[in-house]
């Protein structure tokens, strides 16, 4: 069968959503990562400038999609546009065909000479990791560049006193918050370049986010840390399509336990999971105690709202220690720099890497 690879347009949104519905994530629990009401809404949060490509068959049905849009991140202390490769979906009937190779050939034409991209792959996604290391003609090289631990935080053993004052951000705090981002963001490799004026203006890159979603940590009158949470359920959903028989029968008991001790609320089959994503986390001297002071009210509020808080860190990040004092579930991922040219890793200096799980 013939197919055409081309840039996606807004008119393709319904076809892309149909492909998403047809490509759930298989495992013990059958999940689907949905993008209702519009696929482009989620793409505009992952990348400041999305670049969606699709493949369509002879009936103009969308059979594949991928995104290699750009977002500004800090590289060696300076903001630069870096592509993020994600949202790859192939219709089941086309898996094992030459379509994937053709998509990568198209990618090679898109990338400039010497350009590299970021991507993240779940550690238990053996199919994708085997493709990465297959050495098939036309595929770029995936250079391993760190491992990421993402934790769903549910509750802490008890509230720990650190001596920091935590406040909810207000519009009056915006100049100080922007100065904080400008000073501490460049100290982290891959930290996003954030302009809070775009947040206030309602830019798509900040969809569903407000100033009140940020928390600030103070020592006396001195700002020492900042983070925020982001509920993205309005444009990105994780839907549970099917439970294994035993888990489905125990779901109500598990939910009762979660209400008492903290945990992820399991919806009925067909429902969606509730969680919030940590973002914009910058702490002076990378002190875990400061982040813990910020996490405590966030985790407590998430527990009251029967949802979980998702926080991700590279394994070498000192702030990862702050998540260890909570009841949690952990998920491992691998971070790659992708290039058709030379290995970009020697170009990076020794700054601690940062992952923004809210934009994966």
């Amino acid at each position: 069968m013939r197919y055409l690879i081309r840039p996606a347009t807004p008119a393709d949104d319904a076809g892309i959503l149909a492909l998403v519905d047809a490509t759930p994530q298989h495992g013990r629990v059958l999940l689907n990562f949905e993008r209702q009401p519009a696929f482009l809404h989620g793409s505009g949060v992952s990348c400041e400038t999305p670049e969606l490509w699709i493949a369509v068959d002879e009936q103009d049905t969308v059979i594949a999609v991928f995104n290699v849009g750009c977002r500004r991140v800090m590289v060696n202390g300076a903001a630069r546009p870096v592509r993020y490769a994600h949202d790859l979906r192939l219709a089941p009937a086309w898996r094992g065909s030459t379509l994937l190779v053709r998509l990568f050939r198209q990618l090679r034409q898109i990338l400039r000479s010497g350009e590299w991209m970021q991507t993240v792959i779940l550690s238990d996604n053996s199919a994708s990791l085997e493709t990465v290391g297959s050495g098939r003609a036309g595929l770029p090289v995936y250079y391993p560049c760190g491992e990421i631990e993402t934790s769903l935080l549910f509750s802490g053993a008890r509230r720990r006193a650190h001596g920091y004052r935590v406040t909810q951000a207000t519009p009056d705090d915006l100049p100080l918050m922007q100065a904080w981002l400008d000073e501490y963001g460049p100290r982290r490799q891959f930290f996003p370049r954030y302009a809070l004026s775009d947040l206030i203006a309602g830019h798509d890159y900040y969809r569903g986010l407000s100033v009140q979603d940020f928390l600030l940590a103070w020592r006396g009158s001195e700002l020492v840390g900042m983070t925020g949470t982001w509920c993205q359920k309005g444009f990105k959903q994780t839907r549970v399509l099917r439970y294994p028989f035993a888990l489905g029968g125990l779901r109500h008991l598990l939910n009762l336990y979660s209400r008492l001790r903290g945990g992820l609320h399991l919806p009925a089959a067909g429902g969606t999971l509730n969680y919030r994503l940590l973002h914009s986390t910058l702490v002076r001297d990378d002190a875990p105690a400061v982040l813990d002071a910020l996490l405590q009210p966030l985790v407590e509020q998430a527990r009251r709202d029967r949802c979980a808080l998702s926080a991700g860190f590279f394994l070498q990040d000192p702030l990862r220690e702050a998540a260890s004092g909570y009841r949690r579930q952990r998920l491992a991922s691998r971070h790659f720099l992708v290039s058709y040219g030379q290995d970009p890793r020697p170009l990076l200096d020794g700054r601690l890497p940062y992952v923004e799980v809210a934009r994966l």
Side-chain angles (χ1 to χ4, degrees):
M1 292 181 64
R2 296 180 180 178
Y3 52 84
L4 172 68
I5 299 172
R6 61 172 174 79
T9 71
D12 297 309
D13 198 72
I16 297 173
L17 290 178
L19 174 64
V20 169
D21 289 343
T23 52
Q25 180 76 36
H26 290 273
R28 289 190 65 246
V29 178
L30 184 63
L31 300 173
N32 201 21
F33 302 108
E34 299 180 356
R35 295 293 181 83
Q36 297 292 342
F39 191 85
L40 293 175
H41 290 176
S43 300
V45 166
S46 297
C47 298
E48 288 176 284
T49 52
E51 188 171 337
L52 277 172
W53 287 76
I54 60 172
V56 294
D57 63 15
E58 293 173 313
Q59 287 74 44
D60 207 34
T61 301
V62 178
I63 58 174
V65 62
F66 69 95
N67 190 347
V68 286
C70 286
R71 65 255 189 111
R72 289 172 295 168
V73 299
M74 299 298 171
V75 178
N76 299 339
R80 57 168 286 183
V82 174
R83 292 184 186 270
Y84 174 48
H86 63 296
D87 279 343
L88 175 63
R89 303 273 188 129
L90 268 69
W94 289 86
R95 294 171 187 172
S97 70
T98 60
L99 177 56
L100 183 62
V101 173
R102 288 280 305 276
L103 293 174
F104 276 107
R105 288 177 182 170
Q106 182 63 51
L107 174 62
R108 188 163 196 166
Q109 296 177 26
I110 296 170
L111 298 182
R112 302 187 307 273
S113 175
E115 187 177 10
W116 52 269
M117 309 181 298
Q118 290 181 278
T119 197
V120 175
I121 301 175
L122 292 175
S123 296
D124 62 359
N125 189 343
S126 56
S128 292
L129 291 175
E130 288 170 5
T131 298
V132 163
S134 68
R136 292 171 66 180
L139 270 64
V141 178
Y142 284 65
Y143 297 98
C145 193
E147 297 182 46
I148 296 167
E149 179 184 81
T150 301
S151 296
L152 288 178
L153 307 177
F154 303 124
S155 65
R158 62 182 179 180
R159 191 174 181 88
R160 296 168 292 278
H162 297 297
Y164 301 106
R165 178 171 58 94
V166 175
T167 63
Q168 185 179 36
T170 71
D172 291 339
D173 295 314
L174 283 170
L176 181 60
M177 292 166 62
Q178 186 64 63
W180 185 263
L181 290 165
D182 293 344
E183 179 179 359
Y184 286 92
R187 302 185 187 189
R188 286 299 195 106
Q189 205 73 273
F190 312 126
F191 189 87
R193 171 68 180 98
Y194 283 146
L196 296 180
S197 58
D198 290 339
L199 166 66
I200 301 304
H203 192 283
D204 287 346
Y205 195 48
Y206 302 88
R207 182 180 297 275
L209 194 62
S210 69
V211 176
Q212 289 74 23
D213 293 318
F214 291 80
L215 287 187
L216 307 176
W218 308 82
R219 184 166 50 208
S221 60
E222 184 180 23
L223 182 64
V224 294
M226 180 174 77
T227 193
T229 59
W230 199 339
C231 178
Q232 299 184 344
K233 198 171 181 178
F235 52 90
K236 293 175 69 175
Q237 306 86 26
T238 301
R239 190 173 303 279
V240 179
L241 299 179
R242 186 178 67 244
Y243 291 105
F245 178 77
L247 181 57
L250 292 173
R251 184 177 65 85
H252 295 293
L253 290 176
L254 292 171
N255 284 340
L256 176 60
Y257 178 83
S258 296
R259 293 189 69 175
L260 296 173
R261 296 289 308 278
L264 187 63
H265 176 79
L266 300 177
T272 56
L273 299 175
N274 292 320
Y275 52 87
R276 294 168 187 154
L277 299 150
L278 208 69
H279 66 90
S280 308
T281 303
L282 291 172
V283 171
R284 178 172 293 175
D285 299 324
D286 298 315
V290 176
L291 180 56
D292 187 37
L294 290 162
L295 286 177
Q296 287 182 25
L298 295 176
V299 173
E300 290 173 5
Q301 184 62 52
R303 178 181 176 181
R304 288 193 292 269
D305 295 339
R306 301 174 67 186
C307 69
L309 181 67
S310 178
F313 306 95
F314 277 87
L315 295 188
Q316 65 267 47
D317 192 336
L319 294 179
R320 186 168 68 98
E321 180 185 330
S324 64
Y326 296 84
R327 287 191 61 248
R328 57 177 174 154
Q329 292 180 356
R330 287 177 280 183
L331 184 69
S333 303
R334 296 174 62 183
H335 174 247
F336 296 90
L337 302 184
V338 184
S339 172
Y340 281 100
Q342 65 178 0
D343 184 349
R345 294 173 298 179
L347 304 176
L348 304 177
D349 61 24
R351 296 166 208 248
L352 278 171
Y354 177 91
V355 58
E356 191 73 291
V357 294
R359 299 198 184 276
L360 295 184

